[in-house]
C-alpha cells in the first residue's frame, strides 16, 4: 500500500522544527496502483494519506519523553524509526505535495520495521 518517502533537499530545507513534546513524522507515499495493477485516482490516494497510521520519525522536540513519571522505560521511539499511531492523529501539513504530521510523543503506539504491509483495518 505504501512506498517509502523520498525527501528532496528542497523539502528537507522547508521542514519545521518540532518544539516541546512534538514529533515530526513523514507520511509514506501511497502507491500509484493496487497489487492487481489498477491505477488509483488522486482523490483515493489523498484519503489514504490522510488516514495513514504509519510514518517515519524525522525529528523530535527537546521535551519528548523527558517526563520520567509518564515514560519510566524511556522514549517510545527515536529519529529514523517507523512508528504506528491512530488514524487522523496530529497536525497535518504538506510541503511540495508531500504530507507530514506533528504528533505528540504519547501518540506513538508501536514501532514498525517499515510501512510495507501495514494497512488500516
Amino acid at each position: 500500500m505504501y512506498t517509502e518517502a523520498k525527501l528532496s533537499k528542497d523539502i528537507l530545507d522547508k521542514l519545521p522544527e518540532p518544539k516541546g513534546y512534538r514529533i515530526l513524522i513523514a507520511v509514506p507515499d501511497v502507491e500509484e496502483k493496487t497489487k492487481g495493477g489498477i491505477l488509483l485516482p488522486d482523490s483515493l490516494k489523498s484519503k489514504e494519506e490522510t488516514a495513514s497510521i504509519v510514518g517515519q520519525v524525522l525529528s523530535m522536540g527537546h521535551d519528548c519523553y523527558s517526563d520520567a513519571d509518564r515514560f519510566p522505560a524511556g522514549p517510545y521511539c527515536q529519529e529514523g524509526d517507523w512508528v504506528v499511531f491512530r488514524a487522523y492523529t496530529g497536525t497535518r501539513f504538506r510541503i511540495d505535495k508531500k504530507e507530514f504530521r506533528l504528533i505528540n510523543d504519547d501518540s506513538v503506539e508501536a514501532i514498525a520495521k517499515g510501512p510495507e504491509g501495514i494497512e488500516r483495518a
Side-chain angles (χ1 to χ4, degrees):
M1 162 107 357
Y2 296 108
T3 59
E4 194 165 328
K6 304 287 188 242
L7 303 178
S8 68
K9 181 176 177 353
D10 188 48
I11 289 176
L12 290 172
D13 289 344
K14 294 176 185 176
L15 287 173
E17 178 185 341
K19 297 293 183 182
Y21 53 89
R22 305 289 194 275
I23 300 173
L24 178 62
I25 301 287
V27 175
D29 298 325
V30 176
E31 292 179 353
E32 297 289 321
K33 333 178 187 182
T34 65
K35 291 177 186 173
I38 298 170
L39 287 172
L40 297 174
D42 289 341
S43 61
L44 181 59
K45 290 190 303 186
S46 178
K47 286 178 184 176
E48 285 299 320
E49 282 180 347
T50 299
S52 175
I53 61 167
V54 66
Q56 188 172 31
V57 176
L58 297 180
S59 59
M60 300 167 65
H62 56 83
D63 290 332
C64 282
Y65 304 112
S66 61
D67 186 342
D69 291 333
R70 290 184 67 207
F71 307 105
Y76 293 173
C77 63
Q78 59 187 350
E79 291 180 11
D81 284 348
W82 285 93
V83 294
V84 177
F85 45 85
R86 291 180 183 265
Y88 309 106
T89 295
T91 302
R92 297 176 41 239
F93 62 97
R94 289 184 183 275
I95 297 177
D96 297 339
K97 299 182 181 180
K98 174 75 185 126
E99 184 162 329
F100 298 90
R101 294 199 192 169
L102 286 166
I103 67 170
N104 296 339
D105 56 2
D106 61 355
S107 294
V108 172
E109 296 188 354
I111 301 292
K113 294 184 194 267
E116 299 82 16
I118 297 177
E119 297 179 19
R120 282 178 297 111

